[in-house]
Amino acid sequence: MFNALLGVCILYAAGFDDGVPPVSRLRTVTGVVEREHSVRHAIDFKLRGQAREYRYASKSGAMAQVEHALAPGGAPVTLLFDPADPGGPLFAEKTFYPVYAVSVTGVSVRSHAQVREAWAGDNRVGLFLGVVFLVFAAVLAFVPVRR
C-alpha cells in the first residue's frame, strides 16, 4: 500500500507542476554580481547595491556556464526572477529569489525556455519513478508470496 501511495504522490508532484512560472509572472533585474557562492545544488548570489539574494538551481542546467557568468565584478547580468516566490533553507533566516534566466550584456547564458526544458526533463524522471512504484505495488498486491 505504501508503494502505491508513494507512486501516486510522485506522479502528482512530477506531472502537474513543472515548477517554472510563465514569463508574464517574472520580473527582470540587471546588475553586477557582488558576491557568489556555489552550494551543492545551486548558485547563490547578490547584485551590487540590492538587498535581494538570488538562487539559480542546479536543476535549471548549465551550471558551469552560469557560474562563470555570475563571477563577482564581471559584466552586468540580467536575470528573470519570481518576486512572488522567495524561499530558502528550512530553519534559516536567508531568503532567496529563484532565477529562471540569465544573460550577460544581452547575450543569453540560459534562457527561460532552456530552464523550463531542464525542469521538464527532471520531472520526466519523477514520472518514471512514480510508474515504477505503482507497478511494484501491483506486483506485491497480486503476486502470491511463497513461504
Side-chain angles (χ1 to χ4, degrees):
M1 183 66 175
F2 175 75
N3 289 323
L5 182 60
L6 186 58
V8 168
C9 289
I10 291 171
L11 284 172
Y12 178 78
F16 291 107
D17 181 17
D18 67 4
V20 178
V23 174
S24 61
R25 197 171 99 192
L26 302 177
R27 298 294 170 258
T28 302
V29 64
T30 300
V32 174
V33 175
E34 181 176 273
R35 62 181 156 82
E36 172 265 330
H37 176 70
S38 293
V39 291
R40 185 173 179 176
H41 297 292
I43 302 169
D44 298 336
F45 60 100
K46 188 173 188 231
L47 299 180
R48 188 178 297 151
Q50 296 185 20
R52 285 188 188 108
E53 294 195 45
Y54 301 94
R55 174 168 279 175
Y56 181 84
S58 63
K59 92 183 259 179
S60 298
M63 287 294 283
Q65 294 91 334
V66 172
E67 186 172 27
H68 180 71
L70 297 175
V77 297
T78 301
L79 314 170
L80 271 180
F81 75 101
D82 188 353
D85 189 28
L90 286 175
F91 310 114
E93 297 291 321
K94 284 193 172 246
T95 299
F96 297 97
Y97 289 85
V99 172
Y100 299 104
V102 178
S103 62
V104 177
T105 58
V107 177
S108 178
V109 175
R110 197 72 172 154
S111 71
H112 180 267
Q114 289 171 315
V115 168
R116 181 179 289 280
E117 180 55 36
W119 282 55
D122 196 59
N123 289 347
R124 281 191 287 275
V125 171
L127 292 172
F128 172 76
L129 287 175
V131 169
V132 167
F133 275 99
L134 287 175
V135 168
F136 187 64
V139 167
L140 287 175
F142 297 110
V143 173
V145 178
R146 287 186 173 177
R147 291 191 178 179

